[in-house]
Amino acid sequence: MIILGIETSCDETSISVLKDGKEMLSNHISSQIDIHKEYGGVVPEIASRHHIKNIATIMEISLKEAGITLDDIDYIAVTYAPGLIGALLVGISFAKGISYGRDIPIIPVHHIKGHIYANFLEHKVELPLIALVVSGGHTNIIYLDENHKFTNLGGTLDDAVGESYDKVARVMGLGYPGGPIIDKLAYEGDSNNIPMPEPRVGGYDFSFSGVKTSVINYVNKMNMKQEEYNPADIAASFQTRVVDILCKKTLVAAKEKKVKNIVIAGGVAANSLLRKELLERGKLEGIEVFYPSMIMCTDNAGMIAAAGYYKLKFGDKNKVFANLKLNGIANMEIEED
Ligand code: KG4
Ligand code: ZN
């Protein structure tokens, strides 16, 4: 079974070819990051235009690399939400065009589920499991049962983790995206030098705005007093606190749900301290922790095709080929899919 994956939810245009749910024949990713860098974040309108410009060529490259043509495609898996509405529209319209022209069914895929299933492509993951979803727009703890049913146990009440990384980097003038920059810089700093508050949020919910604001206030205060501060100490203190919060709640969820596997998913799954800490703390509890390779942590169509494959196998049959209506496309929650 051959699935064509399409991902255009943010600033990566990506098309993949996946065979039998496991064998990635191609997974071409075209990043616009250098274009958006000068604006300090993704500009939605520019992102949409670049998707339109590139998508057909990227599909050609991907099909060629996989050694197939459109005639060999059985299904098209496309990201339908969440993301930038204009950017999503490009991928969805492209998918609809191929679907109509070639009579190939479309499987609409939730972007976050794609990030979770990236782990299934590279590891032997056992269900049930807990997924820690950490990206620029999401921070959630999700329970995935034996039948691939998703339950959201909790999420952030304010900023997402990646968003906080980006804002902390911005206030120090370090560039965009902030996550990888802070991650690297943290190794040169002392994590005990700047106090970071521990949010008091119950259950599996998170709050990162207090931690983020304490960094912003600290930097503004130092600037006002015209005193120097050490960005590496801030990076280390911020990162240590954030990773500790994420690890603690994820492990509590894993123990409560009695799962033996945890997967980390989303752009922040690339964070070196989070990968190391959760793996080590999981080991102490007899829980195996998986995370995708660095390239599979970024937005890519390979993970979308994988999620499409599992949706086809285990999904609600009435919903697998859902009509791609545009109503509320950006607002759909994980539970709805
Ligand atoms: O999943 P993703 O590519 O896009 C969304 O769906 O949001 O995640 C992007 C986010 C950005 O906020 C970026 O700063 C963060 O992931 N990120 C990291 C690291 N690499 C990327 N955050 C912390 N440490 C990293 N190494
Ligand atoms: Zn993403």
Side-chain angles (χ1 to χ4, degrees), residues 64-110:
K64 200 164 168 204
E65 206 177 301
I68 61 160
T69 69
L70 275 180
D71 293 336
D72 302 306
I73 305 289
D74 297 302
Y75 300 97
I76 303 164
V78 60
T79 307
Y80 73 89
L84 305 171
I85 195 82
L88 286 164
L89 256 174
V90 177
I92 293 165
S93 308
F94 193 71
K96 280 181 165 181
I98 304 169
S99 168
Y100 186 72
R102 299 276 175 151
D103 199 20
I104 306 170
I106 294 176
I107 311 165
V109 171
H110 193 284

Side-chain angles (χ1 to χ4, degrees), residues 9 111-112 115 135 266-267 297 299 303:
S9 67
H111 180 79
I112 294 302
H115 274 302
S135 75
C297 287
D299 289 347
M303 68 187 198

